[in-house]
Amino acid sequence: MKGEIIKLDNYTINYIKTNNFKNCQIQFVFKEKLKVNTITCNSLLLDFLVYSSYNYPTRRELRNKLEYLYNSNIYGKIFKIGENLFHEYDLYFLNPKYCDKNYMDEVVKLFSEIIFNPNFDNGDYSKKAFEICKNNYRDYLISLKESPAEYAIKRSVMIFGEESLTGITIDGYLEELEKLTIGDLKKEYDVLLNNTECYIYIIGNINKKQIVNCVNKYFKGIKINKNNNNLYIHNKERKEVLYLEEKSSVKQDTLVIFYNLELDSKKEKNIDAIIFNYIFGAGGLTSKLYDKVREKHSLCYVIYSAINCYDNYLYIYAGINKKDKELCMKLIDECLEEMINGDFTIGDIKDSVKALKNAFKNITNSSESALNYRFYIDFCENYEIEDRISLLEKVTKEDIIKVAKKVKKNMVFLLCGDDEDGNN
Amino acid sequence: MEIINLKKVDQTLYVETLENGLTIYMLPNNKISTYYLNFVCKYGSVDTEFKIGKKEYKVSDGIAHFLEHVNFQISDDVSAEELFKKYGSYINAYTSYDQTVYEVDGSNNIKKNLNLLLDYVQNDYFTEKTIAKEKGIIIEEVRRDKNDINRRIYLEGKKALFIRNKKDRMIVGEEEDVKGISLDEVKLVHKVFYNPSNMFLVVTGNFKVKDVIETVRSNQNNKRFEKYNVKKIHHKEPLEVEKSLVEIVDNRVEIPKAIISYKIDREKYKDIEDIELNYYLSLILKCNFSASSLLYEELKEKNMISNMRSSADIDDNIIVISIYIISDKVREVINIVKNKIKNMTMNESDFVRNRRASIANLIYGYDDMESTTCRIIKQLISYGKIYDNLYDIYNGININKANEIMNKLNFDNESTVILEKQ
């Protein structure tokens, strides 16, 4: 879905008019340079902003207002791509045709309140909101270990990328959290409004004139600071593969293998590598990893591979029994060897292309995924869906083998229980 | 064909029942580019006892889920996914307490995909080899589920609550159950329950109604199914709870968790349908325990909870209300919640606000094929029919009736499970 670019005094709006959905979405994106020492503060700031506001100083008051506005929702998320840190704020609301006359005006006003009228300098309300957000954040960080799979992958990324920005966890750090004050949040908020790039995305069956009026009326001016940070991070290969084992009270052991995967061109990153990964380990029930490790040897229930083309790595996740670790790793190595040796068919490529085409078509089935994809086109050098589908059709076996040959094993991480089988 | 206009949400549902008893529910949305097929068997993890004629059968726990897995194997060398990948379609399946669902997500060749779906699910190719192979995989799935601390607290909550209801067991079964499953059991369950009259098909997304009906009818006309006089045996659940307090030490727990559950007699609400009762109960709980409730805010301000959620379910003769707590001060919070549940309140503004939110959620849901499909399946499985007036049901509720329902709730039958680190 292509949008119309609307340039206003303070903002550039990417506006996608469609009557495909019953909901609408407005997205605010701030982009700045990723910095290790402010990641925790930025994460807490985001939580603080969406938790309450100056005029809705408690969570309950804000939730009540959102529910009254036909269960509109405001979410925030913070994420990194390459050397960039993105702050994203989303407003989801019902197509105004189902609602009261002033509905649209009211929801946009509330969204503006969240971003431009935060709960700072509001006496006890500010203190309470800050403490609650800090407690929530602390609980989140403490609870990460309760999800062994998620924990093992996050630990592995930190170890794999310890010498680059890849290793910075977007979750932030407990020790830094404890030191943060509300004053620190205010400073970062000031940076957000005065020293970042900012973009607005809008999708839904909304009248253009009405939305422009709302933006002009409610969204304050901000100072834009263009930044040209690298989109890609390069991580060194290891001379010898690193093997790490961590004990935990888990019932199933988790194997994570990280590989360097330095991809060159836009096409290799967004087209060739996607097909390689589909055949190798991301293609659900039909991938090589799934077929060999799960179906032929019954060693696991879940196994998959994933690529991050911005941090130039590939990883494999498998939930296994520790006693099967060596066999499992041997089989994984065999799968990769098969990819390098071109031991897959033209039919496999065609099947992958069909599945990926289907997946790409699904993107426009929801306003959220359509906007997310638009973001990747604008910020991350990705192709329009139609162009991507057409390029998929042209991928050759040699293109895929070329990607496979770039996969270099870097480290193996096993999260396991205490006994010989890895059980507790 | 029956045409059901889903009132005030701009949706039309087409329903066709074939001669062999298979019913197709079709909700087209040609604004999107893909379609979603769900072939549903009304057989789930709790259906391990049944009668055919006068003969009673008891099969292993976990059999419904096991069958879902081995059903993907079409022959020694061919699995279902290999057939679908030729069309770029994505397939999957899941088993719950009362159903097994086979899904296809595709963007072209809907006729081929429909035929493949019907054929592989109704295919009865099961061998000792396929059964043996699948056991190792499913045992790892059991272990994965046991790795999940949140699943554990919910399961332990059901174990403490139920005496005869089989929802107190893992859907996938225990490792020993999986090891013990036999080829004969798999064949029996497939033969008896995977009958068109015990199944239905839901189609949503971009498709032509006529194409779907013609394809499915032609497919089913070529097959013969033996019909069994089968009756599931579900034992009546008493109002008493299995255990009133269970304290578990689990060193994987970082922040203590608890679940407080209540069994309430459904008979007290004879004049109200399940769907409406469920909705009222959810609203009552939401007003008192959700993130927008006064209690939640007070507990947050005192740093007493990390999170708190509530739920209401109707299970035949029993209403189950549960409050789930994550808290460092879990025992203190349990006392506060137990006191609150017996002194719940609702005011007009809370009620109106939550009603508006529910109506909006109803409309939002139709933007998403999966959510729309789940809604259809939920109505058919839980309530046995499609409601064309959900909007009116939601809009028609009133605070007087909510208060009446709330005041009749009896919280004497209570069980509490606490999960914490040593």
Side-chain angles (χ1 to χ4, degrees), chain A residues 19 22-23 58 60 64 67-68 70-71 98 135-136 139 146 249 251-252 295 298 321 354 358 362 365 423, chain B residues 10-11 31-32 34 86 105 107 133 140-141 143 147 252 254 257 292 297 300 303 306 353 356 360-361 364 367:
Chain A
N19 65 355
K22 290 181 165 58
N23 73 335
T58 67
R60 179 171 148 79
N64 286 354
E67 281 173 5
Y68 184 77
Y70 291 95
N71 218 22
Y98 294 103
N135 292 336
N136 287 345
D139 286 351
E146 288 184 357
S249 308
K251 302 283 180 198
Q252 183 183 58
E295 290 299 295
S298 304
N321 191 322
K354 283 179 200 157
N358 186 32
N362 262 318
N365 282 353
N423 298 328
Chain B
D10 302 336
Q11 301 286 331
K31 287 178 182 169
I32 58 175
T34 59
K86 305 284 171 216
D105 182 342
S107 59
K133 185 207 86 176
E140 283 307 322
E141 188 178 359
R143 299 177 90 209
N147 232 5
R252 295 173 299 164
E254 297 293 339
K257 300 166 203 332
S292 58
E297 183 164 270
K300 270 284 176 198
N303 193 20
S306 176
R353 199 183 63 244
R356 280 166 72 104
N361 283 349
Y364 284 132
D367 264 356

Short mmCIF file of all heavy atoms in Angstrom, two decimals, chain A residues 19 22-23 58 60 64 67-68 70-71 98 135-136 139 146 249 251-252 295 298 321 354 358 362 365 423, chain B residues 10-11 31-32 34 86 105 107 133 140-141 143 147 252 254 257 292 297 300 303 306 353 356 360-361 364 367:
data_model
loop_
_atom_site.label_atom_id
_atom_site.label_comp_id
_atom_site.label_asym_id
_atom_site.label_seq_id
_atom_site.Cartn_x
_atom_site.Cartn_y
_atom_site.Cartn_z
N ASN A 19 -10.24 1.86 2.70
CA ASN A 19 -11.45 1.45 3.43
C ASN A 19 -11.43 -0.06 3.69
O ASN A 19 -12.44 -0.68 3.90
CB ASN A 19 -12.72 1.86 2.67
CG ASN A 19 -12.85 1.13 1.35
OD1 ASN A 19 -11.93 0.38 0.98
ND2 ASN A 19 -13.94 1.32 0.65
N LYS A 22 -11.63 -1.77 9.57
CA LYS A 22 -12.61 -1.11 10.43
C LYS A 22 -11.91 -0.27 11.50
O LYS A 22 -12.54 0.44 12.25
CB LYS A 22 -13.51 -2.15 11.10
CG LYS A 22 -14.47 -2.82 10.11
CD LYS A 22 -15.35 -3.82 10.80
CE LYS A 22 -16.54 -4.21 9.95
NZ LYS A 22 -16.20 -4.78 8.63
N ASN A 23 -10.59 -0.42 11.58
CA ASN A 23 -9.85 0.42 12.52
C ASN A 23 -8.92 1.37 11.78
O ASN A 23 -8.71 1.24 10.57
CB ASN A 23 -9.06 -0.44 13.52
CG ASN A 23 -7.86 -1.08 12.89
OD1 ASN A 23 -7.82 -1.29 11.68
ND2 ASN A 23 -6.85 -1.38 13.67
N THR A 58 -3.26 9.42 36.27
CA THR A 58 -3.12 8.04 36.74
C THR A 58 -3.44 7.10 35.58
O THR A 58 -4.11 7.48 34.61
CB THR A 58 -4.10 7.72 37.90
OG1 THR A 58 -5.43 7.74 37.38
CG2 THR A 58 -3.96 8.71 39.04
N ARG A 60 -5.36 4.64 35.64
CA ARG A 60 -6.80 4.37 35.61
C ARG A 60 -7.55 5.45 34.83
O ARG A 60 -8.41 5.14 34.00
CB ARG A 60 -7.31 4.30 37.06
CG ARG A 60 -8.78 4.06 37.22
CD ARG A 60 -9.10 3.80 38.68
NE ARG A 60 -10.42 4.27 39.03
CZ ARG A 60 -11.54 3.63 38.77
NH1 ARG A 60 -11.50 2.48 38.14
NH2 ARG A 60 -12.71 4.12 39.11
N ASN A 64 -9.46 4.64 31.46
CA ASN A 64 -10.90 4.91 31.39
C ASN A 64 -11.25 5.77 30.18
O ASN A 64 -12.25 5.53 29.49
CB ASN A 64 -11.37 5.61 32.67
CG ASN A 64 -11.42 4.66 33.84
OD1 ASN A 64 -11.22 3.46 33.67
ND2 ASN A 64 -11.68 5.16 35.03
N GLU A 67 -10.93 3.62 27.05
CA GLU A 67 -12.07 2.70 26.93
C GLU A 67 -13.33 3.44 26.50
O GLU A 67 -14.10 2.95 25.69
CB GLU A 67 -12.31 1.98 28.27
CG GLU A 67 -11.33 0.83 28.52
CD GLU A 67 -11.46 0.23 29.90
OE1 GLU A 67 -12.36 0.62 30.67
OE2 GLU A 67 -10.63 -0.65 30.21
N TYR A 68 -13.50 4.63 27.06
CA TYR A 68 -14.67 5.43 26.68
C TYR A 68 -14.62 5.78 25.20
O TYR A 68 -15.66 5.81 24.52
CB TYR A 68 -14.74 6.70 27.54
CG TYR A 68 -15.98 7.50 27.26
CD1 TYR A 68 -17.21 7.10 27.79
CD2 TYR A 68 -15.95 8.62 26.43
CE1 TYR A 68 -18.37 7.79 27.51
CE2 TYR A 68 -17.10 9.32 26.15
CZ TYR A 68 -18.31 8.91 26.68
OH TYR A 68 -19.46 9.58 26.39
N TYR A 70 -14.22 4.19 22.67
CA TYR A 70 -14.42 2.91 21.98
C TYR A 70 -13.14 2.06 22.00
O TYR A 70 -12.68 1.59 20.97
CB TYR A 70 -14.90 3.16 20.55
CG TYR A 70 -16.30 3.71 20.51
CD1 TYR A 70 -16.50 5.08 20.43
CD2 TYR A 70 -17.40 2.89 20.61
CE1 TYR A 70 -17.79 5.60 20.44
CE2 TYR A 70 -18.69 3.40 20.61
CZ TYR A 70 -18.88 4.76 20.53
OH TYR A 70 -20.14 5.28 20.53
N ASN A 71 -12.61 1.92 23.19
CA ASN A 71 -11.44 1.08 23.40
C ASN A 71 -10.30 1.41 22.44
O ASN A 71 -9.66 0.52 21.90
CB ASN A 71 -11.79 -0.40 23.30
CG ASN A 71 -11.02 -1.22 24.33
OD1 ASN A 71 -10.57 -0.66 25.32
ND2 ASN A 71 -10.86 -2.49 24.08
N TYR A 98 -18.33 4.51 12.81
CA TYR A 98 -19.08 3.74 13.80
C TYR A 98 -19.31 4.52 15.10
O TYR A 98 -19.91 4.01 16.03
CB TYR A 98 -18.32 2.45 14.16
CG TYR A 98 -18.19 1.47 13.01
CD1 TYR A 98 -17.00 1.35 12.31
CD2 TYR A 98 -19.27 0.67 12.64
CE1 TYR A 98 -16.88 0.45 11.26
CE2 TYR A 98 -19.16 -0.23 11.60
CZ TYR A 98 -17.95 -0.33 10.89
OH TYR A 98 -17.84 -1.22 9.86
N ASN A 135 8.95 0.23 38.89
CA ASN A 135 8.66 -1.11 39.45
C ASN A 135 8.26 -2.09 38.36
O ASN A 135 8.70 -3.25 38.36
CB ASN A 135 7.53 -1.03 40.48
CG ASN A 135 7.96 -0.27 41.72
OD1 ASN A 135 9.14 -0.18 42.02
ND2 ASN A 135 7.00 0.29 42.44
N ASN A 136 7.42 -1.63 37.43
CA ASN A 136 6.99 -2.50 36.32
C ASN A 136 8.21 -2.96 35.50
O ASN A 136 8.32 -4.11 35.12
CB ASN A 136 6.04 -1.76 35.38
CG ASN A 136 4.68 -1.56 35.98
OD1 ASN A 136 4.33 -2.20 36.97
ND2 ASN A 136 3.89 -0.69 35.39
N ASP A 139 10.30 -5.48 37.39
CA ASP A 139 9.66 -6.80 37.36
C ASP A 139 9.88 -7.47 36.00
O ASP A 139 10.11 -8.67 35.92
CB ASP A 139 8.15 -6.67 37.62
CG ASP A 139 7.87 -6.38 39.09
OD1 ASP A 139 8.82 -6.46 39.90
OD2 ASP A 139 6.72 -6.07 39.42
N GLU A 146 12.27 -16.27 33.39
CA GLU A 146 11.16 -17.24 33.46
C GLU A 146 10.79 -17.78 32.09
O GLU A 146 10.04 -18.74 31.98
CB GLU A 146 9.94 -16.60 34.12
CG GLU A 146 10.11 -16.39 35.62
CD GLU A 146 8.87 -15.84 36.30
OE1 GLU A 146 7.88 -15.56 35.59
OE2 GLU A 146 8.89 -15.70 37.53
N SER A 249 17.15 -23.85 36.12
CA SER A 249 16.16 -24.85 36.58
C SER A 249 15.16 -25.15 35.47
O SER A 249 13.95 -25.07 35.68
CB SER A 249 15.42 -24.31 37.80
OG SER A 249 16.31 -23.88 38.76
N LYS A 251 13.17 -27.37 32.40
CA LYS A 251 12.67 -28.73 32.17
C LYS A 251 13.07 -29.21 30.78
O LYS A 251 13.00 -30.39 30.47
CB LYS A 251 11.15 -28.78 32.29
CG LYS A 251 10.61 -28.32 33.62
CD LYS A 251 10.77 -29.37 34.69
CE LYS A 251 10.23 -28.88 36.02
NZ LYS A 251 10.72 -29.65 37.15
N GLN A 252 13.36 -28.26 29.90
CA GLN A 252 13.82 -28.61 28.56
C GLN A 252 15.04 -27.75 28.26
O GLN A 252 15.06 -26.57 28.61
CB GLN A 252 12.74 -28.32 27.51
CG GLN A 252 13.16 -28.73 26.11
CD GLN A 252 12.08 -28.35 25.09
OE1 GLN A 252 11.71 -27.20 24.95
NE2 GLN A 252 11.58 -29.35 24.39
N GLU A 295 11.76 -34.24 12.16
CA GLU A 295 10.99 -35.32 11.53
C GLU A 295 11.77 -36.63 11.42
O GLU A 295 11.26 -37.69 11.71
CB GLU A 295 10.49 -34.87 10.16
CG GLU A 295 9.41 -33.81 10.22
CD GLU A 295 8.15 -34.26 10.96
OE1 GLU A 295 7.49 -35.18 10.47
OE2 GLU A 295 7.85 -33.71 12.05
N SER A 298 13.50 -37.10 15.39
CA SER A 298 12.62 -36.87 16.57
C SER A 298 13.37 -36.25 17.76
O SER A 298 13.13 -36.62 18.91
CB SER A 298 11.99 -38.20 17.02
OG SER A 298 11.30 -38.80 15.96
N ASN A 321 16.96 -32.15 24.29
CA ASN A 321 17.42 -32.80 25.50
C ASN A 321 18.95 -32.77 25.43
O ASN A 321 19.53 -33.11 24.41
CB ASN A 321 16.89 -34.24 25.50
CG ASN A 321 17.09 -34.91 26.83
OD1 ASN A 321 18.11 -34.70 27.49
ND2 ASN A 321 16.11 -35.70 27.23
N LYS A 354 6.71 -19.21 -3.62
CA LYS A 354 5.24 -19.20 -3.49
C LYS A 354 4.82 -18.88 -2.05
O LYS A 354 3.91 -18.09 -1.81
CB LYS A 354 4.67 -20.56 -3.89
CG LYS A 354 4.63 -20.77 -5.40
CD LYS A 354 4.08 -22.16 -5.68
CE LYS A 354 4.47 -22.61 -7.07
NZ LYS A 354 4.45 -24.06 -7.22
N ASN A 358 2.90 -15.48 -0.63
CA ASN A 358 1.70 -15.55 0.21
C ASN A 358 1.89 -14.72 1.48
O ASN A 358 1.01 -13.95 1.88
CB ASN A 358 1.43 -17.03 0.56
CG ASN A 358 0.14 -17.22 1.32
OD1 ASN A 358 -0.81 -16.48 1.11
ND2 ASN A 358 0.12 -18.18 2.21
N ASN A 362 -0.03 -11.23 2.75
CA ASN A 362 -0.68 -11.10 4.06
C ASN A 362 -0.38 -9.77 4.74
O ASN A 362 -1.12 -9.33 5.62
CB ASN A 362 -0.21 -12.24 4.99
CG ASN A 362 -1.21 -13.37 5.02
OD1 ASN A 362 -2.42 -13.14 5.08
ND2 ASN A 362 -0.73 -14.60 4.96
N ASN A 365 -3.05 -7.24 4.81
CA ASN A 365 -4.33 -7.66 5.39
C ASN A 365 -4.66 -6.95 6.70
O ASN A 365 -5.77 -7.06 7.20
CB ASN A 365 -4.32 -9.17 5.67
CG ASN A 365 -4.55 -9.97 4.40
OD1 ASN A 365 -4.83 -9.40 3.36
ND2 ASN A 365 -4.42 -11.28 4.50
N ASN A 423 18.20 -32.25 32.99
CA ASN A 423 16.94 -32.06 33.72
C ASN A 423 17.19 -31.58 35.14
O ASN A 423 18.31 -31.61 35.63
CB ASN A 423 16.16 -33.37 33.81
CG ASN A 423 15.78 -33.86 32.45
OD1 ASN A 423 15.54 -33.06 31.54
ND2 ASN A 423 15.75 -35.16 32.28
N ASP B 10 -21.66 -4.99 9.46
CA ASP B 10 -21.42 -5.04 8.00
C ASP B 10 -20.79 -6.36 7.56
O ASP B 10 -19.83 -6.38 6.79
CB ASP B 10 -20.48 -3.90 7.55
CG ASP B 10 -21.01 -2.54 7.91
OD1 ASP B 10 -22.23 -2.42 8.06
OD2 ASP B 10 -20.20 -1.60 8.02
N GLN B 11 -21.27 -7.48 8.07
CA GLN B 11 -20.70 -8.77 7.69
C GLN B 11 -21.83 -9.75 7.36
O GLN B 11 -22.89 -9.70 7.99
CB GLN B 11 -19.89 -9.38 8.84
CG GLN B 11 -18.74 -8.53 9.32
CD GLN B 11 -17.56 -8.53 8.38
OE1 GLN B 11 -17.33 -9.50 7.65
NE2 GLN B 11 -16.82 -7.45 8.36
N LYS B 31 -11.77 -7.56 0.41
CA LYS B 31 -10.85 -6.41 0.48
C LYS B 31 -9.43 -6.88 0.80
O LYS B 31 -8.48 -6.11 0.71
CB LYS B 31 -11.32 -5.44 1.57
CG LYS B 31 -12.55 -4.65 1.17
CD LYS B 31 -12.96 -3.76 2.32
CE LYS B 31 -14.23 -3.01 1.94
NZ LYS B 31 -14.81 -2.33 3.09
N ILE B 32 -9.31 -8.10 1.26
CA ILE B 32 -7.96 -8.61 1.53
C ILE B 32 -7.59 -9.63 0.47
O ILE B 32 -8.45 -10.06 -0.31
CB ILE B 32 -7.84 -9.21 2.95
CG1 ILE B 32 -8.85 -10.34 3.15
CG2 ILE B 32 -8.03 -8.16 4.01
CD1 ILE B 32 -8.68 -11.04 4.47
N THR B 34 -5.88 -12.72 0.82
CA THR B 34 -5.65 -14.13 1.15
C THR B 34 -6.90 -14.75 1.77
O THR B 34 -7.87 -14.05 2.05
CB THR B 34 -4.48 -14.27 2.14
OG1 THR B 34 -4.80 -13.55 3.32
CG2 THR B 34 -3.18 -13.73 1.56
N LYS B 86 3.47 -26.77 -2.52
CA LYS B 86 3.41 -26.55 -3.98
C LYS B 86 2.56 -25.32 -4.31
O LYS B 86 2.67 -24.77 -5.40
CB LYS B 86 2.78 -27.76 -4.69
CG LYS B 86 3.46 -29.08 -4.40
CD LYS B 86 4.77 -29.19 -5.17
CE LYS B 86 5.55 -30.42 -4.71
NZ LYS B 86 6.99 -30.19 -4.70
N ASP B 105 -3.51 -21.30 5.39
CA ASP B 105 -3.47 -19.87 5.07
C ASP B 105 -2.92 -19.78 3.65
O ASP B 105 -1.77 -20.13 3.40
CB ASP B 105 -2.54 -19.21 6.08
CG ASP B 105 -2.43 -17.71 5.89
OD1 ASP B 105 -2.78 -17.22 4.80
OD2 ASP B 105 -1.97 -17.04 6.82
N SER B 107 -3.17 -17.96 -0.67
CA SER B 107 -3.54 -16.78 -1.46
C SER B 107 -3.95 -17.15 -2.88
O SER B 107 -4.36 -16.29 -3.64
CB SER B 107 -2.37 -15.79 -1.49
OG SER B 107 -1.24 -16.40 -2.05
N LYS B 133 7.63 -42.69 15.57
CA LYS B 133 8.41 -41.50 15.23
C LYS B 133 7.88 -40.26 15.96
O LYS B 133 8.64 -39.45 16.48
CB LYS B 133 8.34 -41.27 13.71
CG LYS B 133 9.21 -40.15 13.22
CD LYS B 133 8.69 -39.51 11.95
CE LYS B 133 7.69 -38.43 12.27
NZ LYS B 133 7.21 -37.69 11.12
N GLU B 140 9.12 -34.01 23.50
CA GLU B 140 9.82 -32.71 23.59
C GLU B 140 8.82 -31.56 23.70
O GLU B 140 9.09 -30.55 24.34
CB GLU B 140 10.75 -32.51 22.40
CG GLU B 140 12.06 -33.29 22.48
CD GLU B 140 12.83 -33.06 23.79
OE1 GLU B 140 12.85 -31.92 24.30
OE2 GLU B 140 13.40 -34.04 24.31
N GLU B 141 7.66 -31.73 23.08
CA GLU B 141 6.62 -30.69 23.21
C GLU B 141 6.10 -30.64 24.65
O GLU B 141 5.86 -29.57 25.21
CB GLU B 141 5.47 -30.95 22.22
CG GLU B 141 4.49 -29.80 22.18
CD GLU B 141 3.36 -29.98 21.16
OE1 GLU B 141 3.34 -31.01 20.46
OE2 GLU B 141 2.51 -29.09 21.09
N ARG B 143 7.78 -31.43 27.26
CA ARG B 143 8.83 -30.81 28.07
C ARG B 143 8.89 -29.30 27.85
O ARG B 143 9.15 -28.54 28.76
CB ARG B 143 10.19 -31.45 27.76
CG ARG B 143 10.19 -32.93 28.09
CD ARG B 143 11.49 -33.57 27.70
NE ARG B 143 12.43 -33.52 28.79
CZ ARG B 143 13.75 -33.48 28.63
NH1 ARG B 143 14.28 -33.46 27.44
NH2 ARG B 143 14.55 -33.44 29.66
N ASN B 147 8.29 -26.36 30.60
CA ASN B 147 9.30 -25.32 30.79
C ASN B 147 8.65 -23.96 31.06
O ASN B 147 9.32 -23.04 31.50
CB ASN B 147 10.14 -25.20 29.51
CG ASN B 147 11.62 -25.28 29.80
OD1 ASN B 147 12.02 -25.52 30.94
ND2 ASN B 147 12.42 -25.06 28.79
N ARG B 252 12.27 -21.97 39.44
CA ARG B 252 12.29 -21.18 38.20
C ARG B 252 11.53 -19.87 38.37
O ARG B 252 11.63 -18.97 37.54
CB ARG B 252 11.65 -21.98 37.06
CG ARG B 252 12.42 -23.22 36.69
CD ARG B 252 11.66 -24.05 35.69
NE ARG B 252 10.38 -24.50 36.22
CZ ARG B 252 9.39 -24.98 35.48
NH1 ARG B 252 9.52 -25.05 34.18
NH2 ARG B 252 8.26 -25.40 36.04
N GLU B 254 10.73 -16.31 39.40
CA GLU B 254 11.45 -15.11 39.82
C GLU B 254 10.54 -14.21 40.66
O GLU B 254 10.99 -13.62 41.62
CB GLU B 254 11.96 -14.34 38.59
CG GLU B 254 12.98 -15.12 37.74
CD GLU B 254 14.30 -15.36 38.45
OE1 GLU B 254 14.62 -14.63 39.39
OE2 GLU B 254 15.02 -16.31 38.05
N LYS B 257 3.72 -16.26 42.11
CA LYS B 257 2.45 -16.20 41.38
C LYS B 257 1.38 -16.96 42.17
O LYS B 257 1.71 -17.89 42.90
CB LYS B 257 2.61 -16.86 40.00
CG LYS B 257 3.65 -16.17 39.14
CD LYS B 257 4.04 -17.01 37.95
CE LYS B 257 5.40 -16.65 37.41
NZ LYS B 257 5.92 -15.33 37.57
N SER B 292 -7.89 -1.10 34.68
CA SER B 292 -8.57 0.17 34.85
C SER B 292 -9.42 0.20 36.13
O SER B 292 -10.19 1.13 36.35
CB SER B 292 -9.43 0.49 33.63
OG SER B 292 -10.36 -0.52 33.40
N GLU B 297 -5.25 -0.17 40.65
CA GLU B 297 -4.47 1.06 40.82
C GLU B 297 -3.90 1.18 42.23
O GLU B 297 -2.73 1.51 42.42
CB GLU B 297 -5.34 2.27 40.50
CG GLU B 297 -4.56 3.57 40.59
CD GLU B 297 -5.30 4.70 39.92
OE1 GLU B 297 -5.08 4.88 38.72
OE2 GLU B 297 -6.10 5.37 40.57
N LYS B 300 -1.02 -1.21 42.67
CA LYS B 300 0.14 -0.74 41.91
C LYS B 300 0.83 0.40 42.68
O LYS B 300 2.06 0.44 42.79
CB LYS B 300 -0.30 -0.23 40.54
CG LYS B 300 -0.30 -1.30 39.47
CD LYS B 300 1.11 -1.60 39.02
CE LYS B 300 1.17 -2.73 38.02
NZ LYS B 300 2.51 -3.31 37.90
N ASN B 303 2.97 -0.69 45.31
CA ASN B 303 3.96 -1.65 44.79
C ASN B 303 3.69 -3.06 45.30
O ASN B 303 4.60 -3.78 45.71
CB ASN B 303 5.38 -1.21 45.16
CG ASN B 303 6.42 -1.99 44.39
OD1 ASN B 303 6.13 -2.56 43.34
ND2 ASN B 303 7.64 -2.03 44.90
N SER B 306 2.76 -7.08 40.51
CA SER B 306 3.40 -6.89 39.22
C SER B 306 2.31 -6.91 38.15
O SER B 306 2.29 -6.12 37.23
CB SER B 306 4.41 -8.02 38.99
OG SER B 306 4.96 -7.92 37.73
N ARG B 353 -18.81 2.59 30.10
CA ARG B 353 -17.50 2.65 29.44
C ARG B 353 -17.09 1.26 28.94
O ARG B 353 -16.66 1.09 27.80
CB ARG B 353 -16.49 3.16 30.46
CG ARG B 353 -15.23 3.70 29.86
CD ARG B 353 -14.26 4.11 30.96
NE ARG B 353 -13.87 2.98 31.76
CZ ARG B 353 -14.13 2.82 33.05
NH1 ARG B 353 -14.80 3.75 33.70
NH2 ARG B 353 -13.73 1.74 33.70
N ARG B 356 -19.08 0.14 25.89
CA ARG B 356 -18.59 0.76 24.66
C ARG B 356 -17.32 0.05 24.17
O ARG B 356 -17.14 -0.20 22.98
CB ARG B 356 -18.26 2.24 24.90
CG ARG B 356 -19.45 3.16 24.88
CD ARG B 356 -19.10 4.51 25.45
NE ARG B 356 -18.25 5.30 24.59
CZ ARG B 356 -18.68 6.33 23.85
NH1 ARG B 356 -19.95 6.65 23.86
NH2 ARG B 356 -17.85 7.02 23.10
N ALA B 360 -16.74 -1.94 20.60
CA ALA B 360 -15.63 -1.60 19.70
C ALA B 360 -14.80 -2.84 19.39
O ALA B 360 -14.42 -3.08 18.24
CB ALA B 360 -14.76 -0.53 20.35
N ASN B 361 -14.52 -3.65 20.43
CA ASN B 361 -13.73 -4.87 20.20
C ASN B 361 -14.41 -5.81 19.23
O ASN B 361 -13.76 -6.48 18.43
CB ASN B 361 -13.48 -5.60 21.52
CG ASN B 361 -12.40 -4.92 22.32
OD1 ASN B 361 -11.72 -4.05 21.80
ND2 ASN B 361 -12.27 -5.28 23.57
N TYR B 364 -13.68 -4.26 15.84
CA TYR B 364 -12.25 -4.42 15.51
C TYR B 364 -11.96 -5.84 15.03
O TYR B 364 -11.19 -6.06 14.11
CB TYR B 364 -11.38 -4.21 16.76
CG TYR B 364 -11.17 -2.79 17.21
CD1 TYR B 364 -11.34 -2.43 18.55
CD2 TYR B 364 -10.75 -1.79 16.33
CE1 TYR B 364 -11.13 -1.13 18.99
CE2 TYR B 364 -10.54 -0.50 16.77
CZ TYR B 364 -10.74 -0.17 18.10
OH TYR B 364 -10.53 1.10 18.54
N ASP B 367 -11.70 -7.12 11.41
CA ASP B 367 -10.59 -6.72 10.54
C ASP B 367 -9.61 -7.86 10.33
O ASP B 367 -8.78 -7.82 9.45
CB ASP B 367 -9.83 -5.54 11.17
CG ASP B 367 -10.30 -4.21 10.62
OD1 ASP B 367 -11.14 -4.23 9.72
OD2 ASP B 367 -9.82 -3.17 11.10
#
